[in-house]
């Protein structure tokens, strides 16, 4: 099963694809979509939508996982993050692959073993768990962490075993 | 020139299309897209994207106008509104028509003459300005108000006169 994790953002959107047989997880690809600050907002969001479509078309994941968001620094950053997140969810749903959402707490607990872990710890554990030679960028690592969280979750394991 | 105004929301998204020659404005259509609360968020956002595509395909507006958002009741509502707004902007930009944004203050000032006007006053003035027989719903009226604001703005008038 191929799991695509996504960490949406209004300027950088991390993505990470892993393969799992329910026991082992293997890194397939990861990177980040960069959106130009000089583009008008609507154009930036349109570009995010089509870049996500390209990633999905290229790797054909079976399922996707996106971090759930409950908090933001401010109303302004919540609006900005919400816009990128909305486009991300709509773009994935349009391809027909199921979308699962996990809280940051669940993701960190699964990957680091501690729900309040720092971003650098997530980055380090993703590198170890996937046996990567080079530490991935922070956005890529966050996206891979959500994918790993799904692979380890009850829903992800059920999917691999064909129970749902 | 056909102007499509949109009032994005996570459950109801108002839309309103008007025609203007730079002097008069005529009501073309208005309504609201209803999203099912029982659908998962990603499916709801995907449905919003495709419903907006349908409206644009049906009326072929030359330009669109969406309300700019700076404030929200809470971080939670900002995230929710941001998601619907992001999908709206991406869906319009994907069709290639230009998107203009106006603050609620600008919209109310143009339509009612007072930036702090109540929603009911906007609804009433939209009815009068467009010579409608029946008062449009609140979401439809808000969308028509943004379209009227664009038609009356410097950008809208320039467009009609072919200056840009």
């Amino acid at each position: 099963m191929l799991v695509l994790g996504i960490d949406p953002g209004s300027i950088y959107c991390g993505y990470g694809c892993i393969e799992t047989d329910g026991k082992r997880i293997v890194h397939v690809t990861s990177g980040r979509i960069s959106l130009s600050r000089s583009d008008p907002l609507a154009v930036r969001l349109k570009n995010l939508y089509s870049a996500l479509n390209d990633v999905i078309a290229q790797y054909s994941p079976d399922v996707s996982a996106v971090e759930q968001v409950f908090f933001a620094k401010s109303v302004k950053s919540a609006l900005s993050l919400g816009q990128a997140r909305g486009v991300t969810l709509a773009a994935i749903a349009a391809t027909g692959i199921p979308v699962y959402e996990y809280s940051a707490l669940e993701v960190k607990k699964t990957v680091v073993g501690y729900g309040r872990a720092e971003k650098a710890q997530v980055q380090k554990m993703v590198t170890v768990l996937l046996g990567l030679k080079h530490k991935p960028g922070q956005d890529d690592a966050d996206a891979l962490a959500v994918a790993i969280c799904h692979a380890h979750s009850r829903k992800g394991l059920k999917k691999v075993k064909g129970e749902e």
Side-chain angles (χ1 to χ4, degrees), chain A residues 16-18 27 29-30 126 130 132 136 140-149:
Chain A
C17 195
I18 59 168
H27 177 259
T29 189
S30 53
V126 163
L130 295 173
L132 301 175
D140 323 13
D142 282 348
L144 287 166
V146 192
I148 294 169
C149 178

Side-chain angles (χ1 to χ4, degrees), chain A residues 30-53:
Chain A
S30 53
R32 73 175 187 182
I33 297 160
S34 299
L35 303 162
S36 169
R37 281 179 210 271
S38 60
D39 278 335
L41 174 63
V43 173
R44 221 188 301 156
L45 293 169
K46 176 201 79 168
N47 291 344
L48 173 59
Y49 190 95
S50 75
L52 284 168
N53 272 345

Side-chain angles (χ1 to χ4, degrees), chain A residues 16-28:
Chain A
C17 195
I18 59 168
E19 185 157 22
T20 178
D21 58 3
K23 289 173 193 163
R24 287 185 322 157
I25 45 170
V26 178
H27 177 259
V28 177

Side-chain angles (χ1 to χ4, degrees), chain A residues 36-143:
Chain A
S36 169
R37 281 179 210 271
S38 60
D39 278 335
L41 174 63
V43 173
R44 221 188 301 156
L45 293 169
K46 176 201 79 168
N47 291 344
L48 173 59
Y49 190 95
S50 75
L52 284 168
N53 272 345
D54 291 347
V55 169
I56 293 170
Q58 193 175 349
Y59 296 98
S60 302
D62 300 292
V63 63
S64 71
V66 181
E67 203 173 283
Q68 228 165 359
V69 181
F70 302 105
F71 307 106
K73 277 179 212 156
S74 63
V75 161
K76 194 184 162 195
S77 64
L79 277 163
S80 176
L81 176 60
Q83 285 168 173
R85 205 172 176 272
V87 169
T88 301
L89 294 174
I92 303 169
T95 66
I97 66 169
V99 186
Y100 291 90
E101 295 182 84
Y102 297 93
S103 69
L105 200 87
E106 284 175 288
V107 174
K108 288 175 177 176
K109 220 168 172 178
T110 305
V111 175
V112 185
Y114 171 58
R116 307 269 172 221
E118 298 292 325
K119 273 187 170 282
Q121 288 174 281
V122 172
Q123 217 171 348
K124 197 178 165 185
M125 278 310 292
V126 163
T127 313
V128 173
L129 289 170
L130 295 173
L132 301 175
K133 281 181 189 159
H134 304 287
K135 199 166 70 174
Q138 209 168 67
D139 301 300
D140 323 13
D142 282 348

